[in-house]
C-alpha cells in the first residue's frame, strides 16, 4: 500500500500525508499493526509530571452530560429507548452531547444514553427490556422479528435438548449468551485509522476472491458469505463517518483523526452488537505514535493530547445497551466491559508504557472514577518505576484499575494481546472467542451427593446417577468419584449448549463489523468457565480432613451438613487445600478438552465470576464447608469470604498454584485494601501497593 503526499477530506480540503514521519516496514505493504507500533512508539520511563488537567471544554461537556443525562438516567434506570429503529452501524443520524462536543464525536443513537434495540439476538429479551423501561414495542418491528426474521434466540431454542433446558432452568449453567450478543470479540479498531476503510475493503475483497476456485464445501461457502457481510459492514462504517463529516475511506492524517477514526470503528461495533463484553483493545502505543509526531510538529500541545483521550473516555463511559432487569442482576449492574489494556513489555524487552499510558490513567482524575472503560494494566516488576507508582497512586485514589500478569499473557498470546472481558486474553485482530458463561462447579458437587436431584427445588435434573447412601460421615474418595462422574454430565451438557449457541449466533447474529477488523483466517477459542471453586475446594477439604455428616429432609434429599473438626481452607497458601482447588480446575479442563468444539475452536477455561457470583449463590444450597444456602459465592478464584486468614499475599500464592495452562481464559482474584492498611503516608501506601503487585505477579514454579 502506498500513500500520496496529500489527500482530501469529504468536503474537498487537502490533508497531509497520513504516514509522514513514521518509520516504514512490513506494515506499509499489508495489515500489521504490531509492526507499526514497535517501529514508531516511544517508550516512556519517566513520571507523571508532564500530564495536563481537564480543559474547560472537557469540563463543560462532562458537566452537561451529568446534569442533563446521567442524573436523569439514575432516576429512571433507562434514560430513553428507540422502539422504532433496529440498530445498525448507520441506522441513526449524527448525535452530540452538546455544542462543545467536537473533539471526538459519535453516539450510539442520536441522543446521549438513548438505547437502541438489537432484535437479531432475540425478540423476547428486547420486548421485555422495552416494557421494563416504561415503553411499548413497535408492533411492526415485533412482527418482523417474530414472523419474518428468525433470531439467534429462536435458533438456539429450536436446537436445545431437554437436558440443556433442565440444566439451564436449574441454574447449574447460568448466563449463557443465548438471547443476547456473545461479545468477547475485539475488533482491531486501529486498522481504520492506520489504513482507512477503502484499503480494508480492497483487502477483504481480495481475500474473498482468493478462494473463488475452491470446490464447494460448507467451510468455503461460509468463508465467502462472511467476507461479503464484512465488506457490507465496512461500507456502512464509511457512511457512519460521512454522517459526522469525515471521510473514513482514507487513513487518519493527524493524531485527532487517529483517535476519531479508531473510535468510529469501535462505535460501529457497539451500534451493531450488544455483546456481553465489548472491549476496545490495546490503543495507547498506537495513539502515542501520532501524538509524539504531532507534538514534534507543533500542531498540538500536551493539553490537546489529554483532551482527546478525555473526550474518547467520555464516549466510552456512555455506551449503553438495552438490557433486561434479569440481565442486570446476573451481571450485577449494566456493565459492558470496554476493556482498555495497557502497559506490559514487548517481546524485544522494551517497555510498552508510553505517555499515553499515563494520559489514560489521568482521565480518572480529570473525569473522576468510573467502571468504563475497564482499565487493565499488564503488570511486570520490570515496568518503569514512575509508571508503577502512578498506577498504584490512581488505584488508591479511585479503585478503578485491574491488573493482569504480563509475563503469562505475553508468553502465550504475544505482546499485542488485549483482554476481551475481565481476564480473557487474545491476539488483537487475529483471534476471537466463543464466549460461554460458566457452569456452577459448586452446585455440581451437591448434585453428585444427591444423585442428580436439585438441592433447592428437589427436582430430578440428572438421571442415572446414584447419590450418597446412608447417614454416616462422608468418605472423600467416594464423594470425589461421584463428583467426577457428575462432571461428565455437567461439562458435556455445558459444551453441547455452547456449540449450539455459537452455531446459531454465526447464522443469525454474525458480528460482521467486528470481524471485518480481523484477519481473514483467525484463531477461535471456546471460552468455558467455572464458578464456585473455593466452595468446592473447602467442602472437599472438610470431607477429607474433618468429619462431615449429611442432613436429609423427609424425601431423603441432602439439604445441609454437620461438620465437626478443623480442616484447611483454600487461600492461605496451604497445599492441602490449594492442591484440591488446582485438581478441580485441571479435572474440569480435561473433560472440556475431550469434547469436539464448534468450528474446531480451542477450548479454554476461566475461573471468573466477578459479577454473577451473587446470582449463582441464590440458586445454590448449603455445603460441607459451612457456606450457607442462598448466599453469594466468592468472586472468581477468590478464597471464601473470611476463610483467608493469612493475608493478601498468601491468597495470591494460593491462586498462583492454579495451573494457567488449565485456565488460559484467565483467573480472577479480587482484593480489597483500605488505603490506611497500606501505610500512613501516600508515599508509603504507593510503595507498599507496588510491592504487593510485584510479589503477586512473580511466576511460581
Amino acid at each position: 500500500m502506498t500513500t500520496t503526499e496529500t489527500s482530501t477530506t469529504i468536503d474537498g480540503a487537502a490533508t497531509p500525508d497520513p504516514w509522514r514521519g513514521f518509520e516504514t516496514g512490513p506494515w506499509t505493504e499489508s495489515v500489521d499493526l504490531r509492526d507499526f507500533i514497535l517501529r514508531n512508539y516511544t517508550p516512556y520511563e519517566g513520571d507523571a509530571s508532564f500530564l495536563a488537567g481537564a480543559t474547560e471544554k472537557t469540563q463543560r461537556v462532562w458537566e452537561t452530560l451529568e446534569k442533563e443525562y446521567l442524573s436523569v438516567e439514575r432516576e429512571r434506570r433507562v434514560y430513553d429507548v428507540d422502539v422504532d429503529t433496529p440498530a445498525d452501524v448507520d441506522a441513526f443520524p449524527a448525535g452530540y452531547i452538546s455544542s462543545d462536543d467536537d473533539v471526538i464525536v459519535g453516539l450510539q443513537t442520536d441522543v446521549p444514553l438513548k438505547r437502541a434495540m438489537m432484535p437479531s439476538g432475540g425478540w423476547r429479551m428486547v420486548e421485555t427490556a422495552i416494557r421494563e423501561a416504561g415503553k411499548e414495542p413497535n408492533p411492526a418491528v415485533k412482527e418482523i422479528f417474530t414472523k419474518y426474521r428468525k433470531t439467534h434466540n429462536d435458533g438456539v431454542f429450536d436446537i436445545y435438548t431437554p437436558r440443556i433446558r433442565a440444566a439451564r432452568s436449574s441454574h447449574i449453567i447460568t448466563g449463557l449468551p443465548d438471547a443476547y450478543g456473545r461479545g468477547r470479540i475485539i475488533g482491531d479498531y486501529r486498522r481504520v485509522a492506520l489504513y482507512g476503510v477503502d484499503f480494508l475493503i480492497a483487502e477483504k475483497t481480495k481475500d474473498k476472491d482468493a478462494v473463488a476456485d475452491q470446490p464447494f464445501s460448507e467451510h468455503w461457502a461460509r468463508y465467502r458469505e462472511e467476507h461479503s457481510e464484512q465488506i457490507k459492514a465496512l461500507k456502512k462504517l464509511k457512511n457512519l463517518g460521512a454522517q459526522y463529516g469525515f471521510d473514513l475511506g482514507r487513513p487518519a492524517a493527524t493524531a485527532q483523526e487517529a483517535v476519531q477514526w479508531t473510535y468510529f470503528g469501535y462505535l460501529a461495533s457497539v451500534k451493531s452488537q450488544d455483546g456481553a463484553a465489548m472491549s476496545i483493545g490495546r490503543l495507547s502505543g498506537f495513539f502515542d505514535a501520532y501524538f509524539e509526531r504531532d507534538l514534534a510538529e507543533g500542531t498540538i500541545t500536551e493539553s490537546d493530547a489529554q483532551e482527546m483521550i478525555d473526550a474518547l473516555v467520555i464516549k466510552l463511559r456512555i455506551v449503553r445497551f438495552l438490557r433486561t432487569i434479569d440481565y442486570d442482576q446476573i451481571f450485577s449492574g449494566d456493565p459492558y466491559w470496554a476493556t482498555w489494556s495497557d502497559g506490559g513489555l514487548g517481546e524485544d524487552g522494551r517497555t510498552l508504557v508510553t505517555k499515553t499510558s499515563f494520559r489514560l490513567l489521568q482521565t480518572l482524575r480529570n473525569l473522576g472514577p468510573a467502571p468504563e472503560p475497564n482499565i487493565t494494566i499488564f503488570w511486570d516488576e520490570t515496568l518503569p518505576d514512575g509508571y508503577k507508582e502512578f498506577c498504584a497512586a490512581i488505584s488508591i485514589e479511585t479503585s478503578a484499575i485491574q491488573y493482569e500478569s504480563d509475563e503469562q499473557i505475553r508468553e502465550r498470546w504475544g505482546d499485542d494481546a488485549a483482554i476481551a472481558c475481565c481476564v480473557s486474553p487474545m491476539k488483537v485482530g487475529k483471534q476471537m472467542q466463543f464466549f460461554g458463561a460458566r457452569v456452577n462447579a459448586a452446585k455440581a458437587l451437591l448434585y453428585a451427593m444427591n444423585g442428580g436431584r436439585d438441592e433447592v427445588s428437589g427436582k430430578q435434573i440428572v438421571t442415572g446417577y446414584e447419590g450418597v447412601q446412608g447417614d454416616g460421615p462422608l468418605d472423600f474418595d467416594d464423594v470425589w468419584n461421584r463428583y467426577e462422574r457428575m462432571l461428565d454430565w455437567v461439562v458435556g451438557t455445558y459444551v453441547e449448549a455452547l456449540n449450539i449457541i455459537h452455531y446459531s449466533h454465526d447464522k443469525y447474529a454474525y458480528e460482521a463489523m467486528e470481524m471485518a477488523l480481523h484477519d481473514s483466517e483467525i484463531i477461535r477459542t471456546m471460552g468455558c468457565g467455572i464458578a464456585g471453586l473455593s466452595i468446592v475446594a473447602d467442602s472437599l477439604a472438610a470431607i477429607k480432613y474433618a468429619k462431615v455428616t449429611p442432613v436429609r429432609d423427609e424425601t431423603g434429599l441432602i439439604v445441609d451438613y454437620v461438620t465437626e473438626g478443623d480442616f484447611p481452607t483454600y487461600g492461605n497458601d496451604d497445599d492441602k487445600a490449594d492442591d484440591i482447588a488446582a485438581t478441580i480446575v485441571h479435572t474440569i479442563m480435561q473433560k472440556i478438552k475431550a469434547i469436539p468444539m464448534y468450528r474446531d475452536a480451542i477450548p479454554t477455561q476461566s475461573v471468573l465470576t466477578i459479577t454473577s457470583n451473587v446470582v449463582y449463590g441464590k440458586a445454590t444450597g448449603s455445603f460441607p464447608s459451612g457456606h450457607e444456602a442462598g448466599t453469594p459465592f466468592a468472586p472468581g478464584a477468590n478464597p471464601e469470604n473470611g476463610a483467608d486468614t493469612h493475608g493478601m499475599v498468601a491468597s495470591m500464592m494460593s491462586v498462583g498454584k492454579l495451573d494457567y495452562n488449565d485456565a488460559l481464559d484467565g483467573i480472577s482474584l479480587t482484593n480489597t485494601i483500605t488505603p490506611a492498611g497500606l501505610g500512613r503516608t501516600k508515599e508509603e501506601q504507593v510503595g507498599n501497593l507496588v510491592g504487593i503487585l510485584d510479589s503477586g505477579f512473580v511466576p511460581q514454579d
Side-chain angles (χ1 to χ4, degrees), residues 501-679:
I501 287 167
H502 295 295
Y503 166 84
S504 295
H505 204 293
D506 277 348
K507 193 173 183 181
Y508 300 109
Y510 178 67
E511 300 92 339
M513 187 68 256
E514 290 160 273
M515 297 311 299
L517 300 175
H518 281 70
D519 291 354
S520 288
E521 295 287 358
I522 60 169
I523 299 167
R524 293 179 176 86
T525 59
M526 184 70 78
C528 305
I530 60 172
L533 174 64
S534 58
I535 300 174
V536 185
D538 289 356
S539 293
L540 289 171
I543 294 169
K544 186 172 184 177
Y545 296 104
K547 178 183 176 182
V548 177
T549 305
V551 177
R552 301 178 186 272
D553 67 9
E554 64 278 3
T555 70
L557 183 71
I558 300 173
V559 293
D560 207 350
Y561 303 87
V562 175
T563 301
E564 302 171 85
D566 296 328
F567 57 93
T569 53
Y570 165 74
N572 296 294
D573 196 17
D574 186 330
D575 288 344
K576 290 181 178 179
D578 297 345
D579 287 351
I580 293 175
T583 300
I584 294 164
V585 174
H586 178 74
T587 299
I588 294 176
M589 189 65 238
Q590 291 303 111
K591 294 181 183 299
I592 292 170
K593 284 182 177 179
I595 304 171
M597 300 287 158
Y598 170 66
R599 294 188 83 164
D600 297 321
I602 300 168
T604 62
Q605 179 176 215
S606 67
V607 187
L608 169 68
T609 47
I610 288 177
T611 54
S612 54
N613 47 301
V614 175
V615 171
Y616 276 104
K618 286 182 179 178
T620 308
S622 298
F623 286 85
S625 63
H627 185 95
E628 297 180 0
T631 58
F633 288 5
N638 275 53
E640 275 286 87
N641 295 326
D644 50 334
T645 58
H646 288 62
M648 179 185 294
V649 174
S651 70
M652 296 173 83
M653 297 296 284
S654 290
V655 173
K657 295 173 190 175
L658 304 177
D659 190 341
Y660 184 51
N661 292 305
D662 289 327
L664 289 174
D665 195 41
I667 302 169
S668 168
L669 173 65
T670 305
N671 278 315
T672 301
I673 317 172
T674 59
L678 289 168

Side-chain angles (χ1 to χ4, degrees), residues 390-463:
F390 192 55
C391 286
I394 295 295
S395 282
I396 290 167
E397 292 173 21
T398 68
S399 298
I401 306 176
Q402 72 172 25
Y403 297 91
E404 307 268 348
S405 170
D406 180 62
E407 183 171 343
Q408 295 276 28
I409 292 170
R410 187 177 67 253
E411 286 181 352
R412 290 164 176 82
W413 311 106
D415 58 8
D416 195 34
I419 300 300
C421 179
C422 307
V423 296
S424 309
M426 62 183 61
K427 298 179 180 182
V428 178
K430 301 179 180 300
Q431 180 181 344
M432 68 158 288
Q433 181 192 96
F434 294 137
F435 165 56
R438 54 203 59 86
V439 296
N440 190 333
K443 195 176 183 75
L445 178 64
L446 302 184
Y447 274 35
M449 290 187 282
N450 272 315
R453 286 183 68 192
D454 189 274
E455 75 286 353
V456 176
S457 68
K459 294 180 180 178
Q460 189 73 46
I461 303 299
V462 187
T463 59

Side-chain angles (χ1 to χ4, degrees), residues 7-266:
S7 56
T8 57
T9 63
I10 199 168
D11 59 5
T15 60
D17 176 11
W19 293 351
R20 67 192 182 282
F22 292 145
E23 180 184 331
T24 60
W27 66 269
T28 62
E29 302 302 322
S30 61
V31 175
D32 192 339
L33 268 294
R34 178 178 180 270
D35 181 65
F36 168 79
I37 292 167
L38 293 180
R39 290 178 184 275
N40 291 287
Y41 87 104
T42 303
Y44 181 67
E45 299 194 5
D47 60 21
S49 58
F50 73 93
L51 287 167
T55 64
E56 290 185 5
K57 178 180 287 187
T58 296
Q59 292 173 342
R60 286 197 300 270
V61 171
W62 188 241
E63 287 169 4
T64 298
L65 193 58
E66 170 60 36
K67 181 179 179 181
E68 298 184 14
Y69 299 100
L70 291 169
S71 61
V72 177
E73 181 184 60
R74 284 192 290 270
E75 292 178 3
R76 299 178 181 172
R77 178 180 165 267
V78 173
Y79 178 82
D80 195 8
V81 179
D82 187 302
V83 300
D84 301 315
T85 312
D88 203 350
V89 173
D90 55 356
F92 293 92
Y96 302 86
I97 298 171
S98 64
S99 59
D100 280 347
D101 181 20
D102 60 1
V103 178
I104 301 299
V105 300
L107 301 177
Q108 278 178 292
T109 58
D110 56 337
V111 175
L113 306 184
K114 181 193 284 186
R115 306 186 189 214
M117 56 180 169
M118 298 187 184
S120 292
W123 176 256
R124 182 174 54 184
M125 178 175 278
V126 166
E127 183 171 20
T128 300
I130 288 173
R131 294 188 189 282
E132 289 176 346
K135 298 264 187 174
E136 287 297 317
N138 183 316
V141 176
K142 178 177 181 178
E143 183 179 27
I144 291 169
F145 287 93
T146 56
K147 185 175 181 180
Y148 301 110
R149 172 65 161 84
K150 190 170 185 176
T151 67
H152 159 55
N153 184 245
D154 293 333
V156 168
F157 276 84
D158 281 350
I159 306 172
Y160 266 174
T161 63
R163 70 173 186 167
I164 293 174
R165 288 174 177 261
R168 189 179 184 276
S169 64
S170 68
H171 305 291
I172 197 165
I173 303 173
T174 296
L176 291 170
D178 51 18
Y180 58 91
R182 54 192 169 194
R184 293 207 188 177
I185 300 174
I186 309 174
D188 191 353
Y189 306 111
R190 305 166 300 186
R191 297 183 182 193
V192 181
L194 187 58
Y195 297 106
V197 175
D198 287 347
F199 177 73
L200 299 179
I201 290 174
E203 289 295 289
K204 286 294 181 182
T205 302
K206 187 190 306 180
D207 291 339
K208 175 188 174 184
D209 291 341
V211 301
D213 295 330
Q214 291 283 346
F216 177 84
S217 70
E218 183 177 351
H219 170 77
W220 291 119
R222 175 159 54 185
Y223 178 94
R224 284 181 54 79
E225 183 181 23
E226 288 181 348
H227 276 69
S228 293
E229 291 300 312
Q230 292 171 23
I231 292 166
K232 292 175 187 175
L234 288 168
K235 291 178 179 178
K236 291 177 182 178
L237 175 57
K238 278 194 71 175
N239 292 340
L240 173 62
Q243 289 173 349
Y244 286 89
F246 296 104
D247 178 12
L248 300 188
R250 63 170 177 83
T254 65
Q256 185 167 4
E257 286 187 350
V259 178
Q260 180 68 73
W261 269 224
T262 302
Y263 171 60
F264 272 137
Y266 181 74

